[in-house]
Amino acid sequence: MSNEARAGVTIVGSANMDIVFTVERTPLPGETLLAESAARFPGGKGLNQAVAAARAGAATRFIGAIGHDENGTVLAATIADAGIAGDLVRRTPAPTGQAFIVVDGSGENTIIVASGANATVTELGPADRAALDSAAVLLMQLELPLGVVRSAAAEVHRAGGVVILNAAPAQELPRELLADLDYLIVNEHEACLIGGSEDLDAASTTLAALVDRLVVTLGAAGSVLFADGIEAGRIAAPRVDPVDTTGAGDTFCGAFAAAIAEGADFADAARFATAAAALSVQVVGAVPSVPDRSAIDAALEVRSAG
Ligand code: RIB
């Protein structure tokens, strides 16, 4: 298939119902705290990234699994409302994935995920493979079984599409998977864990040598880009007051993938993604905080004028 005939961003990933408790500080072991508020929001790294790609303007397809339960019905509506093609989302007897999230007074979060239906996505079917073969960009995370992540990466790499992996939550990655990636996106913690060093520079250098291009996101400090094993640039983040950082990394990844699918170069895609992520931390919740294209473009214009 020619590159012109490929379209959009396909996400193979997780979908969760997030249960978010807002507290002044995270409780200590054995301690009980009263929360300021509790709420449920659609989430899951895969679904957050799919919503981010769609709101950034990409034709987006989501491949994943949800249960037949009420949470699954809410997430199916989220997929439809965002204009994401959800025809390859499986409905399973297993319960929809859930995430228990504690957001502290500085907007930082801690998350525990019960995978549920996400863990049942162990194989790609013929219809999944056909969709992947025509995708311009594949974007994945690590909340689905690793085998399916490897299969999807190999499929899209073979078909000539762009493969992006956000290695979250971090785990050791097989060399074959790394070789199929065009872009690896990690935060500081993930870089150190996968790069095998507590020193971020050393870990980043190790990782950069294993993939074509690497993005290490640094939260409020922006991100560092590596290409062909060496540092290729730094992107500064705008100064904002965060209320909830949940899903900021996902917003970065989805917006980045949308920009790459549109033909943006590495640095421009990272700038676009940084603007999107900075907007997302100013709103509580994962999916509710994902900005749309007009808001991202407006934020970029303000920055270039300033
Ligand atoms: O990255 C944030 C996401 O991680 C949350 O939405 C939660 O569901 C977990 O997957």
Side-chain angles (χ1 to χ4, degrees):
M1 179 180 285
S2 71
N3 275 340
E4 294 73 38
R6 292 176 201 289
V9 176
T10 294
I11 282 94
V12 176
S14 58
N16 297 326
M17 180 58 77
D18 292 351
I19 302 144
V20 182
F21 285 78
T22 307
V23 291
E24 191 42 49
R25 60 175 179 79
T26 306
L28 300 167
E31 186 184 25
T32 301
L33 279 185
L34 299 185
E36 286 157 15
S37 66
R40 292 190 329 155
F41 299 107
K45 296 186 194 302
L47 181 54
N48 297 338
Q49 294 184 14
V51 172
R55 289 195 187 152
T60 304
R61 165 167 272 126
F62 181 64
I63 299 177
I66 53 182
H68 286 292
D69 45 20
E70 191 198 328
N71 285 341
T73 303
V74 174
L75 297 190
T78 301
I79 292 167
D81 290 350
I84 297 165
D87 52 320
L88 297 175
V89 175
R90 297 111 164 105
R91 295 297 290 255
T92 71
T96 298
Q98 293 185 77
F100 177 78
I101 302 179
V102 177
V103 179
D104 72 17
S106 68
E108 276 304 330
N109 63 63
T110 46
I111 304 179
I112 303 171
V113 174
S115 295
N118 298 306
T120 69
V121 188
T122 53
E123 282 179 5
L124 298 171
D128 301 322
R129 289 189 185 278
L132 290 171
D133 288 350
S134 64
V137 174
L138 167 67
L139 172 61
M140 294 186 291
Q141 325 71 38
L142 295 174
E143 285 187 333
L144 294 188
L146 191 60
V148 84
V149 172
R150 287 179 67 170
S151 302
E155 183 80 25
V156 172
H157 183 68
R158 206 169 26 239
V162 174
V163 182
I164 306 175
L165 177 68
N166 170 219
Q171 60 174 278
E172 213 173 296
L173 298 175
R175 293 282 168 130
E176 300 79 10
L177 173 58
L178 291 169
D180 284 337
L181 303 181
D182 294 281
Y183 296 92
L184 175 65
I185 303 176
V186 287
N187 66 19
E188 298 163 69
H189 164 76
E190 292 148 2
C192 289
L193 227 142
I194 304 168
S197 169
E198 282 174 15
D199 178 72
L200 181 61
D201 289 341
S204 301
T205 304
T206 301
L207 274 183
L210 298 174
V211 290
D212 283 353
R213 295 179 199 87
L214 170 71
V215 182
V216 181
T217 60
L218 305 171
S223 58
V224 191
L225 314 185
F226 296 84
D228 302 320
I230 55 171
E231 189 175 320
R234 283 181 181 253
I235 308 293
R239 289 254 290 273
V240 294
D241 283 331
V243 296
D244 181 5
T245 57
T246 311
D250 299 331
T251 298
F252 182 99
C253 293
F256 182 84
I260 293 292
E262 253 184 47
D265 70 19
F266 189 13
D268 281 345
R271 248 175 241 115
F272 181 79
T274 301
L279 289 167
S280 78
V281 301
Q282 299 173 62
V283 179
V284 175
V287 163
S289 71
V290 176
D292 64 16
R293 178 61 176 257
S294 57
I296 304 169
D297 284 344
L300 281 169
E301 255 173 52
V302 169
R303 286 210 85 192
S304 60

